[in-house]
Amino acid sequence: MPIISEHVHVERKPKLGGGGPGKIPHKRGYGGGDDGDHDRSKDFSSRKERLRRYRIGILLCIISVSTLFICLTLAYVFRQNLGTWDPIHRQWIRDWRALTLPYRQLWINTLILLLSSFTLEMARRKMAHQAEFAALGIVPIKGRAEVPWLGLTVLLGFGFLAGQVVVWNGFRSQGLFLHNNPSSSFFFILTGMHAIHLTGGLLALLYAAGGRLLKLRFDSQILAVDATASYWHFMGGLWLYIFGLLYFLKG
Amino acid sequence: MLKRFPSAATTPSKLLLRRYIFTSDHKMIGIQYFFLSLAAVLVGTWLSLLMRIHLVWPHGRIPLVGEIKPENYLGLLTMHGTLMVFFVLSTVPQNGFGTYFLPLQLGASEMAFPRLNMAGFWTALASFFVLLAAFFVPGGASIAGWTQYAPLSAIRAAGPGQGIGTDLWLVSIGLFCLSSVMSAINFVTTTVKQRTPGMRWMRMPLPCWSWFVTAILSLLAFSVLLAALILLLLDRNAGTNFFVPAGLIVSGQAVNHSGGSPLLWQHLFWFFGHPEVYIAILPAMGITSHLLSVFSRKPVFGYRAMVGATIAIGALGFMVWGHHMFVSGMNPYEGFAFSTLTTAIAVPSAIKVFNWLGTIYGGKLQFSTPMLFSIGFVSLFIAGGLTGPFLAQPSLDMYLHDTYFVVAHFHLIMAMAGIFAVFSATYFWFPKMFGRMMSERLGAIHFWFTLAGAYAIFMPMHLLGVAGHPRRYSELTGVQYVAAMAPLQKFITFAAVITICGQLVFLFNLFWSMFRGRRAEANPWVCTTLEWTLPSPTPAAGFAGRVPVVNRGPYEYSVPGSTADFVAQDAPATQEG
């Protein structure tokens, strides 16, 4: 976790970033972030406090998602060792058939996801720097070429999802669906649940990236990016875990 | 240390809808949860009434309902359990009173994430409607019980309610899981971040401690249930094989599944299900500890031990799920481990009971209605809890598991004790929530009626259970040894009907007092905690920008040398303070 500097929160409004002159009060009163009915977010809490709150919230969210996947893992291991009793031949038949994973595509997806983690981290740092400069009253030079890290992350995120769809389609063309075998069931469930959770993070990133259109305050934009970054890195780690599980416990 | 603490200075919205319905104000959301649970408890109680009548007169025609068929009985059973466990016992003590009073007791004016709070409530409401919709679909409500044991819950042909009814049940509870996780994230973050200066961990009122621990349990347990629900939904709708073994013939049809295990469902379900029991009862324990101290005008006996016991119960709650599965044919060594751990829960529970008795011992007891209900809670908790160690023995549980003994056990300790804490919290916090007092006279009548009723209904069930009366059956006419127990069943039904009618006193008191009750002053019960420093009812802005500074513990009653018999938490620090 990077250091959160207190002096970013100043009376002078940052004049850049999403929402244009950063001081646009939302027409219904709130400035983004989860401030509910409270129309002045800085009264409810300073940016630093909000950031800490969000980080705890995201941490708890991560714990909850981890629990879900731990349970799916337990079910995976449990189901792998089950089977059917064949009364005619008097033997126990394990019905789990190992999948042959499309490693090339999976590795490409993994690389895309890890790369997106990197670009998101860059986006987060850039925004934090911008906020610090803005706090000092330094406005970035207009027209200077900048890497659109946030946009890149969103693209890479969609790229990962597209890669997963390619993997799923590959299985489907082999005639492997959700119901064929417990191994394919678990493959689709694990990757599918991961994709659903990743989409949640992607929506949050889109929300942050569309700050200009949504008239988000710069503060709220940073918050959204910062909170999503932790979640996104976790999604990357979770993907590595799922990949490892599918690889090492093929059955 | 004295950093500026955030608090919201807001003016309530002028739009009524925004103020009362689509609001992110934690007080209003708390009240919304309260009424959601009230609706659920009315439906759930009505269902239990129908069941009791059906058990005694299986072919009787009930006005408006007609004759209850056996499968309808199972539907009633499922919906009664689901409504009461999820929408009443897990909702009102935690989300109802917790959402309202956790920030106030901590000295904050809002939850950490107000709009997440709002989203949680609306998800819970959607979940409630989806659940009730099951009554109106072809086949009716699910008949698999609130535990939805596979394989019958996984197979559509298993009964009339096992089609759309069960799908709706699964979707509804899935939504409820999401709602609970959202609310749990909010509770934990609020407790960690929103405490006012000076509100150290060991100065938190005990309800806050139990809401906090309960939120952690919810966070973990409901994620587990969600995983299980997803697998079951896929088994039902996508043809996967997780919970159904091969070679089953259900309703005369061969089942097209193989290789799954019903035990997998039981493990996943009870890994959620047992913590769920503590999700229901821990807030009740916290509220009871709080009220016993207030109305004994004494500090809580063993505050630290209470906190420790709360955490210990929460932690042990995750290690004992197997005691619901002794009859599933588990390895005896496994059963022994679960049995030992289960018995170990008696230790923190006994610490709690000891401390409750220690709190009221030698106090200046004031028998107001909240106090009566709190004492009732302790009584029911002991009565229901004592049968716990019996059921924790695998050999005894083999016999008692599917009898009324278990029904008696969990209704006394979870349902009755839980609802008594809800009643005491309602009578206690009503002035803060609605600005008026509830009638003490009606409250006392309600208490004695309900206490007598609770024992009259559930004590005889122990006897039924020991005599071997199986539970869950809609009708056992013609079974000889059961026929001998008919008079006792009839007695229970009469007791249930009378007790349920007695609850009309509470409903009348609630709604009458809301509009006609005596106006309440700011601190009618002379309490120390921060919510009572605000006027009644709580203004929309909460502490309105004021930052309360806490100098004292939460239970400073009858402090030697003090002029009043209590010292508020934000009273100025003294030399020794």
Side-chain angles (χ1 to χ4, degrees):
Chain A
M1 284 284 169
I3 303 152
I4 311 160
S5 36
E6 174 64 279
H7 65 269
V8 172
H9 174 68
V10 284
E11 299 311 311
R12 224 170 334 161
K13 300 292 190 328
K15 285 193 179 276
L16 53 80
K23 60 180 183 297
I24 298 176
H26 195 280
K27 63 175 182 293
R28 283 196 304 279
Y30 27 76
D34 193 347
D35 301 330
D37 288 348
H38 303 287
D39 41 4
R40 274 167 307 181
S41 55
K42 72 174 191 292
D43 283 343
F44 182 37
S45 116
S46 70
R47 172 169 164 259
K48 181 182 142 193
E49 283 295 324
R50 274 171 79 191
L51 191 52
R52 288 198 176 144
R53 233 168 44 218
Y54 273 62
R55 282 180 177 174
I56 294 176
I58 283 293
L59 176 70
L60 293 167
C61 184
I62 288 174
I63 292 174
S64 168
V65 177
S66 308
T67 316
L68 182 83
F69 277 91
I70 290 170
C71 275
L72 291 177
T73 310
L74 291 176
Y76 182 91
V77 175
F78 189 97
R79 183 64 184 85
Q80 204 165 48
N81 297 308
L82 283 178
T84 310
W85 173 250
D86 181 354
I88 296 158
H89 301 98
R90 300 189 154 270
Q91 58 182 348
W92 186 255
I93 304 162
R94 264 178 86 236
D95 58 350
W96 184 283
R97 280 190 296 281
L99 284 180
T100 32
L101 297 175
Y103 286 110
R104 210 165 62 102
Q105 185 61 42
L106 286 178
W107 275 118
I108 293 172
N109 293 355
T110 310
L111 277 179
I112 292 176
L113 193 58
L114 294 183
L115 198 63
S116 75
S117 242
F118 169 76
T119 53
L120 184 55
E121 188 59 24
M122 292 306 286
R124 198 186 64 74
R125 289 184 185 194
K126 192 189 80 176
M127 289 181 91
H129 286 157
Q130 278 180 347
E132 299 227 7
F133 282 128
L136 301 170
I138 303 169
V139 182
I141 305 148
K142 279 256 166 73
R144 210 181 82 182
E146 279 181 355
V147 187
W149 293 112
L150 202 53
L152 266 179
T153 315
V154 173
L155 270 183
L156 287 170
F158 276 115
F160 174 80
L161 286 182
Q164 294 292 77
V165 172
V166 169
V167 173
W168 294 332
N169 279 336
F171 274 121
R172 285 155 60 95
S173 63
Q174 291 172 43
L176 272 175
F177 298 95
L178 190 62
H179 62 266
N180 286 64
N181 192 263
S183 58
S184 68
S185 308
F186 272 109
F187 180 84
F188 281 109
I189 290 172
L190 288 169
T191 52
M193 289 301 286
H194 177 261
I196 290 172
H197 282 90
L198 192 97
T199 310
L202 207 49
L203 289 178
L205 283 185
L206 276 176
Y207 172 77
R212 199 182 294 274
L213 296 172
L214 295 165
K215 306 215 164 158
L216 271 193
R217 293 203 324 196
F218 190 58
D219 267 8
S220 304
Q221 212 179 349
I222 300 177
L223 271 179
V225 170
D226 190 285
T228 316
S230 330
Y231 182 76
W232 196 263
H233 299 329
F234 165 68
M235 278 296 131
L238 183 64
W239 170 248
L240 288 180
Y241 168 76
I242 291 172
F243 198 5
L245 180 75
L246 292 170
Y247 177 74
F248 289 109
L249 293 178
K250 257 187 299 214
Chain B
M1 182 64 214
L2 273 174
K3 59 176 190 270
R4 262 180 61 80
F5 201 79
S7 56
T10 60
T11 45
S13 173
K14 283 183 190 68
L15 299 167
L16 281 185
L17 269 183
R18 178 127 179 84
R19 195 163 159 195
Y20 292 111
I21 311 287
F22 301 105
T23 173
S24 64
D25 176 8
H26 74 103
K27 298 177 284 292
M28 206 45 78
I29 292 175
I31 291 173
Q32 287 171 340
Y33 271 120
F34 180 85
F35 282 107
L36 171 66
S37 284
L38 193 65
V41 85
L42 290 178
V43 180
T45 311
W46 169 245
L47 301 182
S48 68
L49 194 64
L50 293 181
M51 280 192 288
R52 279 314 317 176
I53 292 172
H54 173 80
L55 281 171
V56 179
W57 296 284
H59 300 289
R61 296 189 63 81
I62 300 165
L64 300 176
V65 182
E67 188 181 326
I68 295 170
K69 285 181 270 174
E71 60 269 25
N72 294 352
Y73 176 84
L74 292 177
L76 299 179
L77 183 90
T78 306
M79 295 297 266
H80 169 76
T82 312
L83 281 170
M84 292 303 201
V85 169
F86 291 101
F87 291 94
V88 180
L89 292 172
S90 320
T91 298
V92 70
Q94 174 80 3
N95 292 333
F97 293 112
T99 307
Y100 197 112
F101 288 105
L102 178 78
L104 296 183
Q105 288 204 330
L106 297 177
S109 292
E110 193 38 279
M111 295 288 271
F113 306 113
R115 270 183 269 170
L116 187 69
N117 201 7
M118 183 178 172
F121 170 75
W122 287 98
T123 315
L125 189 69
S127 148
F128 180 64
F129 285 132
V130 172
L131 185 72
L132 289 189
F135 276 124
F136 305 103
V137 296
S142 173
I143 61 169
W146 83 278
T147 53
Q148 290 289 331
Y149 268 16
L152 291 186
S153 62
I155 296 167
R156 290 174 176 277
Q162 293 309 92
I164 310 170
T166 302
D167 282 328
L168 286 177
W169 190 96
L170 293 170
V171 170
S172 157
I173 300 306
L175 288 174
F176 192 85
C177 291
L178 291 180
S179 154
S180 296
V181 168
M182 287 188 228
S183 142
I185 290 174
N186 224 338
F187 270 71
V188 175
T189 315
T190 305
T191 315
V192 173
K193 286 302 302 170
Q194 306 286 92
R195 282 170 294 131
T196 198
M199 181 62 84
R200 297 185 210 134
W201 286 96
M202 282 299 158
R203 278 181 182 166
M204 289 200 317
L206 284 171
C208 295
W209 264 109
S210 40
W211 287 321
F212 175 64
V213 174
T214 305
I216 295 174
L217 294 189
S218 294
L219 189 71
L220 301 173
F222 280 105
S223 314
V224 177
L225 181 61
L226 190 60
L229 291 175
I230 291 166
L231 296 183
L232 186 53
L233 259 177
L234 291 177
D235 255 14
R236 292 173 54 82
N237 297 311
T240 56
N241 297 295
F242 299 117
F243 302 125
V244 187
L248 278 191
I249 294 177
V250 173
S251 307
Q253 296 169 23
V255 170
N256 188 23
H257 282 277
S258 69
S261 165
L263 274 181
L264 177 59
W265 171 262
Q266 292 192 21
H267 278 295
L268 288 174
F269 183 84
W270 286 116
F271 193 78
F272 146 78
H274 199 79
E276 162 64 28
V277 173
Y278 296 117
I279 290 169
I281 206 70
L282 278 176
M285 289 172 160
I287 289 164
T288 303
S289 314
H290 190 72
L291 298 198
L292 287 178
S293 167
V294 169
F295 294 105
S296 304
R297 315 309 295 166
K298 266 183 72 187
V300 163
F301 183 88
Y303 174 88
R304 277 170 186 277
M306 282 301 220
V307 173
T310 306
I311 296 170
I313 291 177
L316 280 172
F318 277 107
M319 303 176 201
V320 298
W321 77 94
H323 70 218
H324 297 271
M325 301 163 56
F326 286 146
V327 292
S328 70
M330 62 163 55
N331 186 325
Y333 292 109
E334 211 178 316
F336 176 73
F338 281 124
S339 168
T340 312
L341 283 163
T342 306
T343 323
I345 291 193
V347 176
S349 311
I351 291 175
K352 288 217 166 237
V353 173
F354 182 77
N355 288 357
W356 289 326
L357 299 180
T359 304
I360 54 177
Y361 180 75
K364 282 178 273 178
L365 302 192
Q366 300 169 350
F367 292 103
S368 58
T369 313
M371 177 63 160
L372 290 176
F373 273 102
S374 294
I375 296 173
F377 171 91
V378 178
S379 159
L380 289 162
F381 185 76
I382 296 173
L386 281 177
T387 48
F390 287 78
L391 292 170
Q393 307 311 316
S395 49
L396 279 172
D397 186 70
M398 296 277 175
Y399 175 74
L400 294 170
H401 188 82
D402 281 318
T403 70
Y404 270 85
F405 195 83
V406 173
V407 180
H409 165 71
F410 71 72
H411 273 93
L412 273 183
I413 196 163
M414 190 172 156
M416 285 300 112
I419 213 75
F420 265 56
V422 171
F423 281 137
S424 61
T426 309
Y427 284 102
F428 180 67
W429 275 315
F430 189 85
K432 197 47 63 185
M433 290 163 84
F434 299 103
R436 291 171 188 271
M437 304 295 288
M438 284 177 84
S439 160
E440 281 290 303
R441 186 186 299 260
L442 287 179
I445 295 171
H446 174 223
F447 167 73
W448 288 109
F449 214 90
T450 314
L451 186 76
Y455 278 118
I457 296 167
F458 295 111
M459 272 299 169
M461 284 194 189
H462 290 99
L463 303 177
L464 289 181
V466 172
H469 197 312
R471 60 176 167 143
R472 299 198 188 102
Y473 285 87
S474 96
E475 190 183 339
L476 286 164
T477 35
V479 182
Q480 225 164 13
Y481 78 99
V482 172
M485 295 177 233
L488 204 50
Q489 282 281 31
K490 206 167 262 183
F491 171 79
I492 296 172
T493 295
F494 280 122
V497 172
I498 296 172
T499 313
I500 289 170
C501 292
Q503 303 314 306
L504 296 175
V505 177
F506 170 73
L507 286 180
F508 172 76
N509 196 354
L510 184 76
F511 288 109
W512 187 81
S513 308
M514 218 175 270
F515 300 105
R516 291 286 155 80
R518 183 164 60 78
R519 288 212 176 269
E521 59 267 41
N523 192 358
W525 311 111
V526 280
C527 296
T528 57
T529 43
L530 290 176
E531 79 269 30
W532 302 103
T533 61
L534 295 167
S536 302
T538 321
F543 291 95
R546 183 167 68 84
V547 180
V549 178
V550 170
N551 297 309
R552 293 165 173 283
Y555 300 108
E556 304 219 343
Y557 294 102
S558 311
V559 182
S562 160
T563 44
D565 79 332
F566 76 106
V567 187
Q569 280 198 281
D570 61 348
T574 49
Q575 292 299 357
E576 72 273 35

